[in-house]
Amino acid sequence: MPIRLVTGPANSGKAQVLLDAVRRHVAHAEEPLLIVPTRADAEHYLRELAGEQTAMGVRVERFAGLIAEAVRRAGIAEPVLGGLARERLLAALASRAGSPTAARGMVRALGELFAELQAGRVTPQRFQAALASWVEADGAAVPAELGSLYAAYRAALERLGRLDGEQRAVAAFDALRERPSLWGGTPVLFYGFDDLTRLQLDAIDTLGRVVAAKVTVSLAYEPARVAFAGRAATFQTLAPLADEHLALEPRADHYAPMARAALSHVERRLFELGAARVDPGSAVRLLEGGGERAELELVASEVRGLLEGGMRAEEIAVLARPAGTSLDLLEEVFAAAAIPFDLHRRGRFADTAVGRALLGALRCVAAPDGAAAGELGDLLAWLRAPGSLAHPELADRLELSARRAGALGAERARELWEERNWRLETIDRLAAAQQRGAASLLEAAARELYWLFCAPRRAEARVLARDERQEAGALAAGRRALAELRELAKIDRELAPSTAAELALALEQVDLDGGRTGSVGTIGAVAVLDPLALRARRVRALFVCGLQEGVFPAPARPGTLLADDERRRLGEVAGLPLEQAKDALAAERYLFYAALSRPEEQLILSWHVADDDGDACSRSLFVDDLCDLFEEDLSESARRRPLGAVDGLAEIGEMLGADGGEEPLRDELLLERLRTHVWSASSIERWVGCPVAWFVERMLHPRAFDPDPEPLARGGLAHAALKDTLEALRRDTGSARLTAATLPRARELLARALAENEPSHPLSVVPARRTAVRRRLHVDLERYLAHAAQQDSPLEPLELELGFGIGADDDRGEPSTLPAFELPGGMKLRGRIDRVDVSEAGDAVVYDYKASKAPAAAKWIKDGSLQVALYMRAVEQLLGLPVAGGFYQPLSGDELRARGVLDRDSELELDIVRTDVCDHAEVRELLDEAVEAAGAAALEAGRGQLEPRARTCAFRGGCQYPTICRSEG
């Protein structure tokens, strides 16, 4: 009985039957091969067999290992074409044929079609004849290039002296069919496959029916069950081949007694119509998060509870698909909850530190045709490789300066780097290698990859830490890919990457086994798995996370070449054996069913109702299918956590007080710094608006990552240009006062001042916008000059950009000769006053430029606009001048009249709003109130009272720093 088929539902004992067969084979010294789907399955069964002292006589392999063994025994000597080389060959063939399939996704689809044809032993002649028959029968618009591309592909393989993977496997099976003795009678057992491909079915048929080796195949299948509908076609294919069919009955003894009724009901009735509703008890529970973080925090709290209740970490599993659950976020939440976990991740070469760095360096190499090199991010990815810089902060400084200067290209960013640091010779070496040809470029890239991996590990020889294994995997995968491309370059230089950018594109999609991450090793850790990796495990508690619509079930993969109806028609008119697409929903139903059969005691399902931006998300309909098995209160009893819940975040309490900012600061060094702080008027205004925002901006002082907003850059240039214009006007005419007579000269001086100051105040990092912003500013300032000249003010500008209290280490420009202005209570004020004008009688008027609208004096105290009032007091004290008024002067907008306050007793005649003229006592009272408000702000700061004021924190209300402040308004 060469082929034995074992079927049954989950937990029916199929694994035991297979392992018993393995033991029998070992007992008879037959050295069987156990074939399983994944590396995790192989490790699991090797451990189990080793524990029984059976592993010495058995090999546990994945299907690729079986193919390799068949190739070895069949004596297939031709070298195989690697996956990356195959993709490049297909892309080149499609490009030469002018085919629209040359796009990357279509090239992969083309490879899949050709692999299917190879596995089905379809020759190019047969494929072309089938396409011709279809055209003749239906007049169909067949993609004619498919036949010629397949023929060209096969011809290219022959010319290169290579086989692809499917060709090699088919050649091995055909050799074994011709000479069965080559196999030697080794028993083969297949276990754990959800479905079988054509090549896997070919292997079973070849080894069992032709070679007459003892073959045992296990398939999860039970007739007339919706959960197994996607397995029916595979069962119908296998059943006629089997000499014996063992159909196992369902069993419930796998489940713990207290959970058996509920969990066995899930296994027996999931997806079945008319299923009775039972009590879930504590075996089946639901978790609903307001957002993804909230969901994972719920899961973490439940896992933490199980661990504290005595359940071992290795008895718990968390099922998570990356499409529905951010694995980075899961790692963060579990680590914060002190949960030991083990996470096996797959990834791409580009997702690792060494991969990003190598790709970044390659993209920074200019193309031979002079095309621009990569972007700022590419250069930073290379510079930030671990161990690359002795002082990693240098890369941060480069990013800040480059972003603020708008240097977003790699070449300009490199210039900024080399202006302050050393020459980046590695990029030059890669460019020189590119000039010498593909082989040199690949060698240089391999050396750089090895250097990048070794850089952070040069100091000592040691075993790699757990979190370094992904980098080691990237090194291995990158070196394999580069070696494969070097081999390709030897046999056909046109197929190898000829430029650094092309090489980066080829390496970007290289897949790698991401390795394990987590807080501890595999033993003693909660396993975080995808559904396929869960098949070989039984656990006491299972959490199924991220049950969102579009995640579980996953959407069907769209077909790109030969849709189902086209494949069907090819079979009808030409007898071409192409496979039909699998029923994606049926496959997902089985996967969900298989996962839910794994826990012995507790099954917990979770989802989130919104993403972390607050946009609504729908939960999976599979959750409803599960709820249909239980009494109505299962959904109602779901444990919920709202979006943005922040309990347990002790670090925020440490900084801003236990209640999110209601308690004062307690650090004495910080309080002393606040008590001796020298304030600016704008800083006081920010405190009045929100002390927490002031603390973030003025004390934590995060440096801006992006260029100054255009309005801020425009304001800086406007201030500098007006100062230079009026100073030059005073030198030319003896007066800085604008009149109709001096206006033409002032306009000339303005144009020159704008041109001279713009390099220090770039208006935009977008070159296309600079001209427009500059013209708009020029027009606005000329309009302001004309308005001022028309007023014929009796005041003479005495001081322009008058600084006081500004030291040499201050970032507010040139240091000032005037000291800080002292307010009652010991508070000190510094600043730079835009303009101080004086009358013939010696009365001073303070002006502060505004972009457009200016606040009226009646709203100064209410709105916290204290700057002009404080500057008025500063002029009185520092210059010894009586101050008659103070105004905010708009530089653009519909209304250019200044707004503020003017002392009626000064008898100055200014063109201002009538209500801005006030009695002397009212002016003095306004200044006193402003000084009092400023003093109160300084006293609050000295006491560390960081009160959040969400209503006045951001423009038009709302908290500007919610992740730090956590104010609820």
Side-chain angles (χ1 to χ4, degrees):
M1 52 177 188
I3 299 180
R4 185 187 192 205
L5 177 61
V6 181
T7 63
N11 305 319
S12 58
K14 298 185 297 298
Q16 191 63 43
V17 171
L18 265 287
L19 292 178
D20 286 344
V22 168
R23 296 180 188 103
R24 286 195 300 272
H25 290 311
V26 171
H28 289 87
E30 293 175 321
E31 297 184 351
L33 275 170
L34 176 59
I35 308 302
V36 294
T38 68
R39 181 178 286 109
D41 296 333
E43 292 173 355
H44 173 81
Y45 286 111
L46 269 176
R47 284 196 301 269
E48 184 167 339
L49 291 168
E52 301 173 357
Q53 298 182 346
T54 309
M56 293 300 293
V58 62
R59 284 173 56 192
V60 184
E61 297 278 0
R62 291 177 292 167
F63 185 69
L66 175 63
I67 295 293
E69 185 65 19
V71 167
R72 185 184 67 82
R73 296 192 185 192
I76 306 300
E78 290 89 343
V80 68
L81 189 71
L84 184 56
R86 174 177 173 169
E87 186 173 312
R88 294 197 62 80
L89 172 59
L90 289 169
L93 292 174
S95 178
R96 291 170 190 169
S99 169
T101 59
R104 186 170 205 135
M106 294 299 290
V107 166
R108 291 203 168 184
L110 196 66
E112 291 171 2
L113 174 62
F114 290 176
E116 182 183 352
L117 294 172
Q118 300 272 52
R121 296 174 174 81
V122 177
T123 65
Q125 295 78 12
R126 185 180 178 190
F127 186 47
Q128 288 174 312
L131 293 175
S133 298
W134 183 21
V135 172
E136 184 179 351
D138 297 348
V142 181
E145 76 273 9
L146 288 180
S148 58
L149 279 174
Y150 184 41
Y153 172 67
R154 287 286 293 265
L157 288 175
E158 186 173 351
R159 175 175 58 83
L160 296 173
R162 297 292 188 273
L163 299 176
D164 66 14
E166 289 72 28
Q167 267 186 316
R168 187 177 67 154
V170 167
F173 293 151
D174 287 347
L176 294 176
R177 285 173 180 269
E178 292 176 6
R179 297 179 59 193
S181 61
L182 292 173
W183 184 253
T186 301
V188 183
L189 303 97
F190 293 82
Y191 177 73
F193 290 90
D194 291 318
D195 209 350
L196 294 166
T197 67
R198 172 173 286 184
L199 207 55
Q200 289 164 347
L201 289 169
D202 191 350
I204 293 169
D205 181 58
T206 299
L207 296 174
R209 192 174 60 83
V210 180
V211 176
K214 296 176 183 178
V215 175
T216 304
V217 182
S218 167
L219 182 70
Y221 178 72
E222 188 176 11
R225 288 281 305 276
V226 174
F228 295 98
R231 302 292 168 266
T234 301
F235 173 76
Q236 296 300 330
T237 302
L238 279 173
L241 302 177
D243 297 274
E244 177 188 353
H245 176 204
L246 176 61
L248 300 176
E249 296 296 322
R251 293 163 49 185
D253 55 354
H254 157 72
Y255 302 107
M258 294 296 292
R260 186 168 297 158
L263 295 181
S264 177
H265 188 59
V266 172
E267 190 279 312
R268 299 309 306 147
R269 303 301 296 170
L270 183 65
F271 300 124
E272 300 297 323
L273 295 176
R277 291 178 179 266
V278 302
D279 181 5
S282 61
V284 181
R285 293 185 292 119
L286 306 177
L287 306 176
E288 179 183 280
E292 187 177 354
R293 177 180 286 277
E295 177 197 347
L296 291 175
E297 288 173 342
L298 272 176
V299 171
S301 69
E302 291 282 344
V303 172
R304 186 76 254 167
L306 293 176
L307 294 174
E308 292 171 353
M311 191 175 290
R312 297 197 307 273
E314 60 269 27
E315 296 175 319
I316 304 171
V318 175
L319 186 151
R321 276 183 162 171
T325 302
S326 166
L327 298 181
D328 291 334
L329 182 59
L330 185 147
E331 288 192 44
E332 178 185 331
V333 171
F334 274 34
I339 294 172
F341 66 95
D342 181 66
L343 171 59
H344 189 271
R345 304 179 71 162
R346 296 197 64 84
R348 299 181 309 157
F349 181 72
D351 297 330
T352 64
V354 294
R356 283 192 299 270
L358 179 62
L359 297 180
L362 290 170
R363 290 179 181 133
C364 289
V365 177
D369 61 2
E375 301 176 350
L376 168 65
D378 298 320
L379 183 62
L380 291 171
W382 176 57
L383 290 172
R384 284 179 170 145
S388 181
L389 296 176
H391 300 284
E393 63 272 14
L394 293 176
D396 298 335
R397 292 176 188 170
L398 172 65
E399 181 171 12
L400 285 170
S401 59
R403 286 186 179 277
R404 291 184 63 79
L408 303 182
E411 291 185 8
R412 176 61 184 136
R414 180 183 175 182
E415 290 173 6
L416 290 177
W417 170 273
E418 293 180 347
E419 286 173 4
R420 296 184 178 182
N421 303 292
W422 57 89
R423 185 172 179 81
L424 301 177
E425 295 178 348
T426 298
I427 297 175
D428 295 331
R429 286 195 294 269
L430 289 170
Q434 175 182 253
Q435 291 292 334
R436 292 192 296 271
S440 293
L441 175 61
L442 291 164
E443 288 287 350
R447 287 194 299 270
E448 179 64 12
L449 174 62
Y450 186 67
W451 187 92
L452 288 167
F453 178 77
C454 294
R457 303 168 181 89
R458 291 191 298 261
E460 56 179 338
R462 55 182 173 80
V463 176
L464 293 179
R466 182 179 182 80
D467 57 0
E468 294 179 294
R469 295 177 190 171
Q470 186 180 31
E471 299 301 310
L475 172 66
R479 295 178 80 174
R480 282 195 302 270
L482 289 167
E484 187 179 320
L485 292 173
R486 284 200 301 272
E487 187 66 23
L488 188 63
K490 291 178 183 178
I491 56 179
D492 190 334
R493 284 185 300 176
E494 292 185 9
L495 295 178
S498 60
T499 68
E502 189 181 354
L503 176 56
L505 188 63
L507 293 175
E508 183 179 26
Q509 298 300 324
V510 169
D511 293 323
L512 65 148
D513 185 340
R516 287 191 169 98
T517 60
S519 54
V520 297
T522 305
I523 304 302
V526 174
V528 182
L529 307 164
D530 63 38
L532 293 176
L534 186 65
R535 294 168 302 190
R537 295 174 182 257
R538 285 183 177 176
V539 293
R540 288 178 64 185
L542 173 67
F543 293 80
V544 185
C545 302
L547 285 171
Q548 311 299 136
E549 181 182 342
V551 175
F552 221 148
R557 181 185 174 189
T560 53
L561 294 176
L562 296 180
D564 278 356
D565 56 344
E566 295 173 324
R567 290 167 172 265
R568 191 178 305 111
R569 190 59 181 152
L570 271 172
E572 291 171 353
V573 302
L576 194 68
L578 293 180
E579 291 184 290
Q580 299 294 305
K582 304 293 184 183
D583 185 335
L585 180 58
E588 288 290 290
R589 283 199 186 104
Y590 170 75
L591 206 56
F592 189 66
Y593 157 83
L596 268 54
S597 71
R598 297 294 87 198
E600 298 173 349
E601 295 180 16
Q602 292 193 44
L603 172 64
I604 302 98
L605 277 63
S606 71
W607 65 91
H608 47 272
V609 297
D611 61 25
D612 284 345
D613 291 327
D615 296 330
C617 299
S618 299
R619 80 179 187 186
S620 168
L621 292 177
F622 280 0
V623 178
D624 299 294
D625 289 320
L626 178 77
C627 291
D628 288 343
L629 301 176
F630 297 103
E631 295 173 352
E632 297 288 351
D633 63 350
L634 179 62
S635 290
E636 297 174 3
S637 63
R639 184 182 170 194
R640 293 175 170 84
R641 181 176 175 83
L643 179 68
V646 296
D647 54 288
L649 297 181
E651 65 276 10
I652 293 175
E654 286 291 324
M655 182 174 185
L656 298 181
D659 297 322
E662 293 300 323
E663 292 188 3
L665 295 170
R666 295 182 287 271
D667 186 274
E668 281 301 323
L669 290 175
L670 181 58
L671 289 172
E672 179 61 24
R673 184 178 174 188
L674 290 172
R675 284 191 285 267
T676 59
H677 180 66
V678 179
W679 294 78
S680 68
S682 61
S683 183
I684 291 173
E685 290 181 344
R686 191 62 177 123
W687 178 282
V688 172
C690 180
V692 174
W694 176 90
F695 185 78
V696 172
E697 296 168 2
R698 307 300 172 113
M699 295 299 284
L700 299 182
H701 194 55
R703 294 184 65 185
F705 231 69
D706 295 311
D708 288 337
E710 288 182 4
L712 185 59
R714 171 189 160 106
L717 180 55
H719 281 65
L722 285 176
K723 174 180 180 292
D724 287 357
T725 298
L726 296 180
E727 285 181 343
L729 186 64
R730 187 183 352 247
R731 288 195 299 270
D732 286 359
T733 67
S735 171
R737 191 164 67 91
L738 289 160
T739 65
T742 61
L743 180 59
R745 180 56 179 159
R747 284 175 171 160
E748 294 174 5
L749 295 171
L750 174 65
R752 187 174 69 188
L754 285 171
E756 290 175 349
N757 283 281
E758 187 177 354
S760 302
H761 301 83
L763 292 172
S764 176
V765 297
V766 182
R769 284 194 51 79
R770 287 178 194 154
T771 301
V773 177
R774 184 191 309 115
R775 281 194 72 173
R776 178 63 184 271
L777 176 60
H778 195 167
V779 168
D780 284 341
L781 293 182
E782 279 198 332
R783 180 166 166 261
Y784 164 67
L785 294 179
H787 168 80
Q790 185 180 7
Q791 305 310 307
D792 196 20
S793 170
L795 302 174
E796 172 67 31
L798 175 68
E799 300 286 350
L800 302 172
E801 299 293 325
L802 175 67
F804 58 94
I806 299 174
D809 58 345
D810 201 296
D811 61 358
R812 290 167 176 78
E814 301 245 348
S816 61
T817 56
L818 294 174
F821 164 47
E822 294 190 11
L823 293 171
M827 173 187 175
K828 292 185 178 181
L829 186 75
R830 65 181 174 186
R832 197 174 293 279
I833 304 172
D834 293 339
R835 231 173 67 210
V836 179
D837 291 5
V838 295
S839 66
E840 290 184 358
D843 293 323
V845 177
V846 172
Y847 285 93
D848 186 73
Y849 298 135
K850 299 291 284 186
S852 54
K853 294 182 180 179
K859 297 182 178 181
W860 284 2
I861 305 302
K862 176 185 175 184
D863 294 345
S865 298
L866 308 178
Q867 185 159 304
V868 165
L870 294 175
Y871 283 172
M872 291 168 69
R873 277 290 173 88
V875 167
E876 286 181 337
Q877 184 180 102
L878 298 174
L879 298 183
L881 295 175
V883 176
F887 296 91
Y888 290 102
Q889 173 62 61
L891 298 179
S892 64
D894 296 334
E895 178 59 77
L896 292 180
R897 280 192 298 178
R899 294 302 309 272
V901 63
L902 179 65
D903 189 334
R904 196 187 310 275
D905 291 356
S906 69
E907 298 182 355
L908 287 174
E909 296 291 335
L910 301 178
D911 182 22
I912 57 175
V913 177
R914 181 175 55 83
T915 55
D916 288 348
V917 180
C918 301
D919 291 337
H920 179 76
E922 293 177 312
V923 174
R924 306 321 294 177
E925 182 180 359
L926 176 63
L927 300 187
D928 289 342
E929 289 180 0
V931 169
E932 183 179 352
L939 289 174
E940 288 174 358
R943 293 191 294 265
Q945 293 178 304
L946 295 191
E947 174 194 355
R949 297 170 187 168
R951 284 175 296 198
T952 56
C953 178
F955 180 63
R956 295 181 178 175
C959 181
Q960 192 163 345
Y961 302 101
T963 57
I964 296 177
C965 179
R966 302 289 178 133
S967 171
E968 297 181 0

